């Protein structure tokens, strides 16, 4: 089932890359990705690993102030630290926090929970020509189950395609 869904996603993404205006591409790409991997919110950002400086950010279903709030906690973000250390790998937030432990942390209470983020899967990819790191995180609120290993694998496959088509759009 996932193979057929993935094939459809890739085909539609390639067409989108040829047809979508640059300003509409990420919104439309998120719509396609949500058909493959259901999610409630997302972040697609580029930045520098030194001091975790964000160069640009696209937020899907999240308010702009989320990034200002994240600045207070970015050096405590274990998920981010691990995707930076292993570009190309997709990780689940619960690989680095036990559920009860995470709920007791300030980064959860004052950031994740405050924005409705209960589950997250994230991937980082190096962009050699710019020196940037592209990062995409998909989030679910508490009304949905955590991401499955299959969804995580689908995201790991899809994100490099999304970034390549975006760069050529």
């Amino acid at each position: 089932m996932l193979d057929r869904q993935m094939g459809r996603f890739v085909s539609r993404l390639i067409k989108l890359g040829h047809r979508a205006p640059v300003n509409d591409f990420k919104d439309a790409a998120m719509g396609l990705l949500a058909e493959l991997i259901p999610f409630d919110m997302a972040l697609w950002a580029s930045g520098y690993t030194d001091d975790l400086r964000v160069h640009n950010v696209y937020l899907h279903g999240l308010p702009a102030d989320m990034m200002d709030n994240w600045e207070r906690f970015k050096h405590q973000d274990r998920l981010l630290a691990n995707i930076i250390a292993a570009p190309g790998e997709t990780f689940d937030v619960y690989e680095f926090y036990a559920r009860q432990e995470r709920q007791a942390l300030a980064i959860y209470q004052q950031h994740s929970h405050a924005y409705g983020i209960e589950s997250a899967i994230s991937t980082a990819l190096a962009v050699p020509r710019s020196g940037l790191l592209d990062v995409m995180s998909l989030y679910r609120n508490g009304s949905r189950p955590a991401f499955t290993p299959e969804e995580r694998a689908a995201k790991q496959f899809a994100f490099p395609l999304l970034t390549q088509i975006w760069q050529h759009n």
Side-chain angles (χ1 to χ4, degrees):
M1 174 81 163
L2 190 57
D3 290 338
R4 196 158 108 204
Q5 287 178 302
M6 188 61 77
R8 179 178 153 98
F9 169 79
V10 170
S11 175
R12 292 176 67 200
L13 182 63
I14 290 169
K15 288 177 188 171
L16 179 68
H18 291 292
R19 296 182 183 154
V22 171
N23 292 340
D24 298 336
F25 177 80
K26 287 186 178 180
D27 283 331
M30 285 296 160
L32 292 178
L33 187 58
E35 292 175 17
L36 182 67
I37 307 165
F39 61 90
D40 300 302
M41 301 151 282
L43 170 142
W44 186 347
S46 297
Y48 299 97
T49 56
D50 58 313
D51 203 32
L52 305 177
R53 290 181 297 130
V54 176
H55 176 55
N56 66 60
V57 66
Y58 165 85
L59 297 172
H60 178 83
L62 290 162
D65 72 341
M66 182 208 143
M67 293 307 294
D68 293 330
N69 189 55
W70 173 78
E71 285 291 325
R72 300 182 311 149
F73 301 102
K74 66 184 181 182
H75 294 289
Q76 301 168 36
D77 191 337
R78 293 182 203 165
L79 180 57
L80 179 63
N82 280 276
I83 65 171
I84 288 171
E89 294 289 320
T90 297
F91 293 102
D92 189 300
V93 69
Y94 289 112
E95 290 181 75
F96 309 106
Y97 302 96
R99 209 169 282 273
Q100 287 182 318
E101 172 200 13
R102 182 171 179 248
Q103 292 174 347
L105 298 172
I107 190 173
Y108 172 79
Q109 294 171 0
Q110 297 171 27
H111 184 71
S112 300
H113 186 69
Y115 292 97
I117 298 168
E118 296 299 326
S119 296
I121 52 176
S122 299
T123 316
L125 294 170
V127 184
R129 72 173 193 253
S130 67
L132 294 169
L133 194 68
D134 280 349
V135 173
M136 180 184 280
S137 296
L138 302 181
Y139 307 117
R140 285 187 177 155
N141 63 38
S143 69
R144 292 189 193 248
F147 290 97
T148 66
E150 292 79 17
E151 290 169 326
R152 187 172 126 185
K155 182 177 178 299
Q156 188 165 307
F157 175 82
F159 187 46
L161 297 172
L162 286 158
T163 60
Q164 285 297 308
I165 291 172
W166 164 247
Q167 291 168 15
H168 293 288
N169 180 275

